[in-house]
Amino acid sequence: MRRSRFGLQLRAIRDDEDRARGLGVKAMRVKLSAFLISGTITAMIGAVWFYYINQVEPQTGFDPIFDLTLVLMAFLGGYGSISGPVLGALIIEPLTLWLNTQPQFSGYLSEILLGAIFLIVVLFLPRGIITTGGELITRIRTRGRPAVIPATSVGSSALASGATAASGPSSVSSGGGR
């Protein structure tokens, strides 16, 4: 889907919705289609899961802690890639299992701790570990210099060499009193 025309339209809407509309993308239709596809896939997976366990109870169908851990996995690793949520799951799942086995974290304390971790991730790693780590590695590798040397403009070198000649009578003035 990522390499199709629909995927290109979704990325254009994600980057700048107004510019995508200006280029002819029907943003509302594309977003509604993406929501429909996402909901259909999620509903099919949920239907197979509940068929497998043969029962639906509120604590299995609507568990806010489960929802929080899923969102925390995506945000911690970095959404927008497949490797980000996988890394987040490899970190969060053992942590939640460990919290559930510790007697001092019984009750709501483990939920409060997960919420605090989520707030820390949102505040200090808003784009996830993978993106932030990649930027940190690039910064260390280039020692603070830009990774790509910016190109010099042609006009700036001509302006620097001919600055004294431009102050003669042929120079253009912006007006104003002198």
Side-chain angles (χ1 to χ4, degrees), residues 62-87:
F62 305 104
D63 186 13
I65 298 305
F66 179 72
D67 297 340
L68 176 68
T69 56
L70 285 180
V71 171
L72 186 57
M73 288 174 192
F75 273 79
L76 180 66
Y79 52 90
S81 69
I82 294 177
S83 58
V86 169
L87 177 66

Side-chain angles (χ1 to χ4, degrees), residues 56-136:
V56 178
E57 296 175 356
Q59 60 267 30
T60 59
F62 305 104
D63 186 13
I65 298 305
F66 179 72
D67 297 340
L68 176 68
T69 56
L70 285 180
V71 171
L72 186 57
M73 288 174 192
F75 273 79
L76 180 66
Y79 52 90
S81 69
I82 294 177
S83 58
V86 169
L87 177 66
L90 290 174
I91 294 170
I92 293 298
E93 190 60 29
L95 177 69
T96 57
L97 290 174
W98 181 78
L99 285 174
N100 290 334
T101 59
Q102 300 302 314
Q104 65 265 26
F105 294 116
S106 64
Y108 291 110
L109 196 55
S110 64
E111 297 170 10
I112 292 171
L113 190 60
L114 280 177
I117 291 171
F118 182 67
L119 287 175
I120 289 170
V121 166
V122 168
L123 289 175
F124 296 111
L125 296 170
R127 294 186 332 195
I129 290 176
I130 293 195
T131 308
T132 308
E135 291 172 356
L136 182 66

Side-chain angles (χ1 to χ4, degrees), residues 121-161:
V121 166
V122 168
L123 289 175
F124 296 111
L125 296 170
R127 294 186 332 195
I129 290 176
I130 293 195
T131 308
T132 308
E135 291 172 356
L136 182 66
I137 289 171
T138 302
R139 193 177 309 132
I140 289 171
R141 195 179 294 162
T142 59
R143 295 184 188 95
R145 297 183 312 265
V148 177
I149 299 171
T152 59
S153 62
V154 176
S156 64
S157 62
L159 182 64
S161 65

Side-chain angles (χ1 to χ4, degrees), residues 1-12 14 82:
M1 183 177 283
R2 175 171 258 193
R3 294 182 181 162
S4 68
R5 180 178 178 182
F6 183 69
L8 180 65
Q9 290 173 341
L10 283 173
R11 284 194 310 274
R14 179 195 64 193
I82 294 177

